[in-house]
Coordinates of all heavy atoms in Angstrom, one line a residue:
G1 N -9.7 26.0 -27.7 CA -10.8 25.0 -27.8 C -10.7 23.8 -27.1 O -9.8 23.7 -26.1
M2 N -11.4 22.8 -27.6 CA -11.5 21.6 -26.8 C -10.2 20.7 -27.4 O -10.1 20.5 -28.6 CB -12.7 20.8 -27.0 CG -12.9 19.6 -26.1 SD -13.2 20.0 -24.3 CE -14.7 20.8 -24.5
M3 N -9.5 20.2 -26.3 CA -8.3 19.3 -26.7 C -8.9 17.8 -26.8 O -9.9 17.4 -26.2 CB -7.1 19.3 -25.7 CG -6.5 20.5 -25.6 SD -5.0 20.5 -24.5 CE -4.2 19.2 -25.0
Q4 N -8.1 17.0 -27.4 CA -8.6 15.6 -27.7 C -8.2 14.9 -26.3 O -7.2 15.3 -25.6 CB -7.9 15.0 -28.7 CG -8.2 13.5 -29.1 CD -7.4 12.9 -30.3 OE1 -6.6 13.6 -30.8 NE2 -7.8 11.7 -30.7
A5 N -8.9 13.8 -26.0 CA -8.8 13.1 -24.7 C -7.3 12.5 -24.8 O -7.0 11.9 -25.8 CB -9.7 12.1 -24.6
E6 N -6.6 12.6 -23.7 CA -5.3 12.0 -23.5 C -5.4 10.6 -23.2 O -6.2 10.0 -22.5 CB -4.5 12.7 -22.5 CG -4.1 14.2 -22.8 CD -3.3 14.9 -21.8 OE1 -2.9 14.1 -20.8 OE2 -3.1 16.0 -21.8
R7 N -4.5 9.8 -23.8 CA -4.5 8.3 -23.6 C -3.0 8.0 -23.1 O -2.0 8.3 -23.7 CB -4.9 7.6 -24.8 CG -6.3 7.6 -25.2 CD -6.7 6.7 -26.3 NE -8.1 6.8 -26.7 CZ -8.7 6.1 -27.6 NH1 -8.0 5.2 -28.3 NH2 -10.0 6.3 -27.9
S8 N -3.0 7.1 -22.1 CA -1.6 6.7 -21.7 C -1.9 5.2 -21.2 O -3.0 4.6 -21.7 CB -1.3 7.5 -20.5 OG 0.0 7.0 -20.0
H9 N -1.0 4.7 -20.6 CA -1.0 3.2 -20.1 C -0.2 3.2 -18.8 O 0.6 3.9 -18.4 CB -0.4 2.3 -21.1 CG 1.2 2.4 -21.3 ND1 1.5 3.3 -22.2 CD2 2.2 2.0 -20.6 CE1 3.0 3.1 -22.2 NE2 3.3 2.4 -21.2
L10 N -0.8 2.2 -17.9 CA -0.2 1.9 -16.6 C 0.6 0.6 -16.8 O 0.1 -0.5 -17.0 CB -1.2 1.7 -15.6 CG -0.7 1.4 -14.2 CD1 0.2 2.5 -13.6 CD2 -1.9 1.1 -13.3
P11 N 2.0 0.7 -16.7 CA 2.8 -0.6 -17.0 C 2.9 -1.4 -15.8 O 3.2 -0.9 -14.7 CB 4.2 -0.1 -17.5 CG 4.2 1.2 -16.8 CD 2.9 1.8 -16.8
L12 N 2.5 -2.6 -15.7 CA 2.6 -3.6 -14.7 C 3.6 -4.6 -15.1 O 3.3 -5.4 -16.1 CB 1.3 -4.3 -14.4 CG 0.2 -3.3 -13.8 CD1 -1.1 -4.0 -13.6 CD2 0.6 -2.6 -12.6
K13 N 4.8 -4.7 -14.5 CA 5.7 -5.7 -14.9 C 5.2 -7.2 -14.4 O 4.5 -7.4 -13.5 CB 7.0 -5.5 -14.1 CG 7.8 -4.2 -14.6 CD 9.1 -4.1 -14.0 CE 10.1 -5.3 -14.3 NZ 11.4 -5.2 -13.8
I14 N 5.5 -8.2 -15.3 CA 5.3 -9.5 -15.0 C 6.0 -10.0 -13.7 O 5.4 -10.6 -12.9 CB 5.6 -10.5 -16.1 CG1 5.0 -10.1 -17.3 CG2 5.4 -11.9 -15.8 CD1 3.6 -10.3 -17.4
N15 N 7.2 -9.5 -13.5 CA 8.0 -9.9 -12.3 C 8.2 -8.5 -11.5 O 9.2 -7.9 -11.5 CB 9.4 -10.5 -12.7 CG 10.2 -10.8 -11.4 OD1 9.6 -11.0 -10.3 ND2 11.5 -10.9 -11.6
T16 N 7.2 -8.1 -10.8 CA 7.3 -6.9 -10.1 C 8.2 -6.9 -8.9 O 8.8 -5.9 -8.6 CB 5.8 -6.6 -9.6 OG1 4.9 -6.5 -10.6 CG2 5.9 -5.1 -8.9
A17 N 8.4 -8.0 -8.3 CA 9.3 -8.2 -7.2 C 10.8 -8.2 -7.7 O 11.7 -8.1 -6.7 CB 8.9 -9.5 -6.5
G18 N 11.1 -8.4 -8.9 CA 12.5 -8.5 -9.3 C 13.2 -9.6 -8.6 O 12.8 -10.9 -8.5
V19 N 14.5 -9.4 -8.2 CA 15.4 -10.4 -7.6 C 15.2 -10.6 -6.1 O 15.8 -11.4 -5.5 CB 16.8 -10.1 -7.9 CG1 17.1 -10.0 -9.4 CG2 17.3 -8.8 -7.2
I20 N 14.2 -9.9 -5.5 CA 14.0 -10.0 -4.1 C 13.6 -11.4 -3.6 O 14.1 -11.9 -2.6 CB 13.1 -8.8 -3.7 CG1 13.5 -7.4 -4.0 CG2 12.7 -8.9 -2.2 CD1 14.9 -7.2 -3.3
P21 N 12.6 -12.0 -4.4 CA 12.1 -13.3 -3.7 C 13.2 -14.4 -3.6 O 13.3 -15.0 -2.5 CB 11.0 -13.7 -4.8 CG 10.5 -12.5 -5.4 CD 11.8 -11.5 -5.4
P22 N 14.2 -14.6 -4.6 CA 15.2 -15.7 -4.5 C 16.1 -15.2 -3.4 O 16.6 -16.2 -2.7 CB 15.6 -15.8 -5.8 CG 15.4 -14.6 -6.6 CD 14.0 -14.2 -6.1
I23 N 16.5 -14.0 -3.4 CA 17.5 -13.5 -2.3 C 16.9 -13.6 -1.0 O 17.5 -14.2 -0.1 CB 17.9 -12.2 -2.6 CG1 18.6 -11.9 -3.9 CG2 18.7 -11.5 -1.5 CD1 19.0 -10.5 -4.2
F24 N 15.7 -13.3 -0.8 CA 15.1 -13.4 0.6 C 14.8 -14.9 1.0 O 15.1 -15.3 2.1 CB 13.6 -12.9 0.5 CG 13.7 -11.2 0.7 CD1 14.9 -10.6 0.6 CD2 12.5 -10.6 0.9 CE1 14.9 -9.2 0.8 CE2 12.4 -9.3 1.1 CZ 13.7 -8.5 1.0
A25 N 14.3 -15.8 0.0 CA 14.2 -17.2 0.4 C 15.6 -17.8 0.7 O 15.7 -18.7 1.5 CB 13.5 -17.9 -0.8

């Protein structure tokens, strides 16, 4: 039969760049 709609989430980190910006700068 018909399944229930699946729900998920897309995680977006507050600091996506990590330690790269201070190291690069």
Side-chain angles (χ1 to χ4, degrees):
M2 191 73 67
M3 289 181 60
Q4 188 178 0
E6 297 181 2
R7 291 184 180 182
S8 181
H9 65 270
L10 178 65
L12 298 177
K13 291 186 64 176
I14 299 297
N15 180 26
T16 307
V19 299
I20 298 299
I23 293 179
F24 278 13

